[in-house]
Amino acid sequence: MHHGFTEIDVEVDDGFVIVTPEGAFNVEGVREYETQFLKKIKPLMGKTWGILNVYDTYETGGPDVQDMVRKQFMWSCAHGCAYLGFVVNNPLHEYAARVTTKDVEGLKEMRIFRDHKEALEWMRESISKANNT
């Protein structure tokens, strides 16, 4: 999906969603992402699930964008998302991850990684344990 400066890939893995934003984030891009996200997570509803955000080329966004991302995490955690993971490569991404997930009700665990493989292993193991699979 491409909108303005933003391209966002959303894929469903085994019990969780991998979100890979690329480029600068804007409000329109977040709205478009939310529509795609809601369609993709339907098979996860009624289960415990997670979101793995891969911030390799993410350029964040302003306060309005960060507020929208936080609200999306809050909605997700109110609807079964218990795990949020972030693959980051700079301190700004780490800061954004911490701010957008601070005190989100229903969130069991949030972790920040620098390594993709480690993040995927953590998410797969967490979701498997949570759903006893």
Side-chain angles (χ1 to χ4, degrees), residues 49-92:
W49 53 283
I51 304 171
L52 181 59
N53 300 278
V54 180
Y55 286 175
D56 289 341
T57 60
Y58 175 49
E59 295 178 23
T60 67
D64 52 346
V65 168
Q66 294 305 308
D67 184 55
M68 290 177 77
V69 170
R70 178 172 170 69
K71 286 177 182 171
Q72 194 272 330
F73 289 151
M74 291 169 66
W75 182 92
S76 294
C77 290
H79 291 86
C81 178
Y83 301 93
L84 289 170
F86 297 84
V87 179
V88 303
N89 57 24
N90 68 54
L92 179 59

Side-chain angles (χ1 to χ4, degrees), residues 27-39:
V27 170
E28 293 80 15
V30 174
R31 285 189 186 123
E32 189 173 319
Y33 156 73
E34 288 174 344
T35 300
Q36 180 186 14
F37 181 84
L38 288 173
K39 290 176 186 174

